Amino acid sequence: MLEIKNLHAEIDGKKILNGLNLTVADGEVAAIMGPNGSGKSTLSYVISGREGYEVTDGEVLLDGVNLLNLDASERAAQGVFLAFQYPLEIPGVTTMTFLKASLNATRKGRGEPELSTPEFMKRVRAAADRLGVPQDMLRRALNVGFSGGEKKRMEILQMALLEPKFGILDETDSGLDIDALRIVSEGVNALRSPHRGFLVITHYQRLLDYIVPDKVHVLSKGQIVKTGGKELALELEKTGYGEFVGEAA
Amino acid sequence: MNAQVTPLRTIAESRLASDYESARATMPGHAGVASLRDGAFAAFMHAGLPNRRVEAWHYTDLRQAMRDALPVAGVPAATAILAQGARLETLAPRVEGVDSVRIVLVDGYYIPALSDVARMPEGVTLHSLTDVLEQGDEQLIEALSGPGLGAGDSTLALNAAFMQGGVLLDVAAGAQVATPVEIVTMTTNDVAQALYVRSLVRLGAGSKLTLIETDASDAEVAEQRNGALVVQAGDDAVLDHVFMPAQLPARSTQVAHMLVTMGARSDLASFTLARGGGLLRRQAFLRFDGEHARGAFAGSTLLKGRDHSDTTLVVEHVAPHCESREYFKFVLDGEATGVFQGKVIVAPGAQKTDGKMKSQAILLSDGASMNNKPELEIFADDVVCGHGATVAQLDENQIFYAQSRGIPRPQVEAMLLEAFVDEATDHVRHEGLRDLLTARIGVWMANRSAA
C-alpha cells in the first residue's frame, strides 16, 4: 500500500505540492488527472526519488517504509517503478546489458541472489515476446533510435522484469498511436495483481479506456481536489479542468 | 642602457648539467653518438625545461613539476634482475587473447634473460639499444633520431642526450607478424631514479606488426621517465600500436614521445590508455612522407586526484592523399587536469589531405579541468580537415533514469563512463587487446567507485 500524507514539495524554491494526501491500496489502479502545471509529474518524481525536489513536509510510505529517506535506486529495490513519459536514451549501453544490471541490482537490493545468465535470458525473452519487442532491439543501445512506441514498450518490459510492488505510469499514452497504446496497455493490464498498486498519470481520458482505473483523483495546484470512480474521467473529458483551477486558487 | 641577461637555471637543470658532465664519458655510444648527445644536450640547456611560456607546453609546466632531477638509472645489477624476474608474472600476468611475446626492460635496459628471445616471431630481429649505439652505424643512428620530428622540443633533446635503454626492432619486408610484440617496462624497487629510454621500430615494406608498450612497475617512490619510441613505417607497412603508460606515484613525471614517419600506403593505428599517476605528457609527432597513407591516434585518459595528463599530437601532411585521425576521450575526477593539443599541418602540395580530430571530455567534479587546443595549419587548397572538442558532465537525467531502475549511482556512473570511453577503445583493431583495455578501464572505474 502506498500512503502519501500531507506532502509538501518544492523545486528551486517554487512550491509544487501543497499538502497532498493519497492512499493507493494493493491491487488498486488509481488515476491522477489534472491540468498542466498541477504537479502530476512532480508527484511521480518525488515518489521515485529524483534529485532536485525538496520535500518540506509530509511522508510517502510504501508498505510502511518511508521512501523519502532513500535514494532512487533504493526506492526501486523497495518496489517503486516509474515508467517515464520520455524514456532516456543511453548510448553505448546495450538494452540487454542495461536490463541485466538493473535486474541484478534490484535483486541485490531486495536481498535476492543474482540470476544466472540463462535464467535472465529466458525471462527477458519471455517478456519481450509478450510485448512484441523484437530480439534485435535488445542488442541495440537502450532507447537509442527507438520510436516512441518502442520506448514505451521497453518501459513496460522493464516493469515486467523488475516486478515492482508499485508502478507509476507518467503520461504513458503521450506520443502513442492507437495500436501502440493497445499493446502497452495490455502489457500493464497483464501486470495488474492483488499485490501491486498503480498510479496512472494522464492528461486525457483515452488511456483510461484501456487501463481501467479503480479510482480517479483530480490534482490541482498540488492537492487532490476531487476523487471519484472511473466515470469521473469521462466527466472531466466533457467539462475540462476549469472548475478545479478556480476552486483551488 | 645595457641590461645583462643571466639565464637562471633551476635546481633540476643544474643537476642535469652536472649529471650529464659526469655521465658523458661512460654512456654507451660511438664517437658519432657522443657528438649527437652533446648537440642535444646543448640544445636542451639552451631552452631549459619547458614551462608555461613555451607555447607547446603552456598547459603542462614541466619545469615547475620537476623540482629536482633524479639520478639517471644505471644498468641493473644481476641480483636486481633476478628479483624482477621473480615478480614478472605477478606484476604482468600473461593475457589470454593477447598472447604476446615479451621484451622486458628493467630500469629501461633490455634484459634478454627475462625476455621471450627464443619465441621472437619469424621476421622480427631484436637488438639492444646499447649495442646499436656502440656500433654507431650512421644510418641507424640517423633513423634513431627521428629526423625532423619534434625539432625544438627540449624534452626530446634531453632524451637524446641521456638515452641508454631500449631496443631496436626490425620487421623484415613482407613479414606478417601475427603474434603481438610487447615491450614491458619494470623498475627496481624503491629507488628514486630517472629513466631515459629510446627504442626504434623499423617496419620493412609490406610488413605487419602489433606492438604493445606496457608497464609492470610497482615502485612507491616518485620517478622521472623520458621515453621515446621511433617508428619508421615502410611503404605498405601496417602497425597496430597500444601504449599503456605507467601509473607512477604522485610527484612523478613522465614524458613519452612517439616519432613516426609513414611510407606510401602505410597504415598506423595507435591507442593510448592513460590512467594517471603524477604528471604525464604523451606527445606524438607523425609525418606522412608517402602518398595514400593512414595514421590514426586514439586514446582514453582516466584521471582522478591530482593527476595531470597531456596528450599532444603534431601530424604533418607532407605527401598528398593521406588520412589522419585523432579521437580522444577524457574522464576527469577530483582535481585532475587533462590537456589535449592536436595540431594538423598540411604542407603546400599535400592536396586531398583528409584530417579529422576529436576530443571529448567529461568532468566529474568541480575541481577537475580540461584544456583543449586543436590547431589546423593548412597550406594546400584542396583538403578536408576538421576538429571538434567538447567538455561536458554526466547527464543527470540519464543517471536518474538508471537509478530508478535499481542501479546504484556509482554503478550508473561507471556504466555511462565506460560507454563513453568505449567509443575510443573501439578504434583498436586487435580483439584481444580491445578486451584487455576494456577490462583495465573497468578496473579503474571500480576503484573510482570504491574510493
Side-chain angles (χ1 to χ4, degrees), chain B residues 59-70:
Chain B
Y59 301 107
T60 299
D61 193 330
L62 189 65
R63 188 170 66 180
Q64 200 181 12
M66 267 181 76
R67 291 293 164 85
D68 201 349
L70 298 172

Side-chain angles (χ1 to χ4, degrees), chain B residues 104-330:
Chain B
V104 177
L105 309 181
V106 176
D107 293 344
Y109 296 89
Y110 167 48
I111 308 296
L114 300 184
S115 304
D116 300 329
V117 181
R119 286 180 54 217
M120 272 307 135
E122 206 182 323
V124 176
T125 326
L126 179 63
H127 297 278
S128 115
L129 182 84
T130 311
D131 294 346
V132 172
L133 296 172
E134 293 289 4
Q135 282 162 15
D137 176 323
E138 269 181 39
Q139 204 192 336
L140 251 179
I141 301 301
E142 166 82 1
L144 191 62
S145 70
L149 293 165
D153 186 274
S154 70
T155 61
L156 186 59
L158 190 62
N159 177 281
F162 279 107
M163 60 183 169
Q164 305 196 43
V167 291
L168 162 66
L169 203 61
D170 272 323
V171 183
Q176 305 292 301
V177 184
T179 311
V181 174
E182 179 178 7
I183 301 176
V184 184
T185 296
M186 307 185 81
T187 47
T188 46
N189 279 343
D190 301 326
V191 185
Q193 58 185 8
L195 271 54
Y196 294 91
V197 184
R198 186 174 289 225
S199 290
L200 171 62
V201 176
R202 294 192 296 182
L203 294 155
S207 67
K208 189 173 190 299
L209 178 72
T210 300
L211 179 70
I212 317 166
E213 294 181 88
T214 58
D215 185 83
S217 55
D218 65 343
E220 285 169 11
V221 293
E223 290 181 18
Q224 290 169 352
R225 292 198 189 182
N226 184 328
L229 176 71
V230 185
V231 174
Q232 247 187 12
D235 293 351
D236 301 292
V238 178
L239 178 64
D240 284 291
H241 172 242
V242 168
F243 176 39
M244 288 187 253
Q247 294 174 273
L248 298 176
R251 292 194 306 283
S252 298
T253 59
Q254 186 172 191
V255 183
H257 317 267
M258 186 170 179
L259 312 176
V260 189
T261 48
M262 304 284 291
R265 299 168 305 279
S266 62
D267 178 357
L268 166 75
S270 174
F271 185 90
T272 299
L273 174 61
R275 290 160 292 170
L279 176 149
L280 170 69
R281 162 85 163 200
R282 183 337 168 242
Q283 53 180 13
F285 302 91
L286 178 143
R287 190 177 63 232
F288 290 106
D289 287 336
E291 298 186 11
H292 295 285
R294 184 176 196 277
F297 290 101
S300 289
T301 296
L302 314 173
L303 306 178
K304 52 186 161 58
R306 301 183 67 86
D307 292 336
H308 178 111
S309 186
D310 174 333
T311 295
T312 294
L313 306 164
V314 180
V315 172
E316 287 177 80
H317 287 266
V318 175
H321 296 285
C322 291
E323 184 182 302
S324 61
R325 290 288 181 273
E326 301 172 4
Y327 192 79
F328 285 81
K329 298 273 187 174
F330 289 79

Side-chain angles (χ1 to χ4, degrees), chain B residues 324-344:
Chain B
S324 61
R325 290 288 181 273
E326 301 172 4
Y327 192 79
F328 285 81
K329 298 273 187 174
F330 289 79
V331 173
L332 308 170
D333 201 357
E335 291 171 51
T337 305
V339 180
F340 174 81
Q341 304 188 109
K343 185 190 265 189
V344 175

Side-chain angles (χ1 to χ4, degrees), chain A residues 94-134:
Chain A
T94 67
T95 301
M96 207 57 124
T97 302
F98 185 89
L99 294 179
K100 195 166 185 194
S102 162
L103 185 56
N104 280 333
T106 306
R107 290 178 66 89
K108 194 175 167 194
R110 292 175 186 167
E112 297 165 6
E114 289 195 355
L115 289 181
S116 68
T117 300
E119 176 60 23
F120 164 75
M121 298 294 284
K122 203 172 101 188
R123 291 195 190 190
V124 173
R125 292 219 169 98
D129 286 347
R130 276 198 301 276
L131 287 157
V133 171

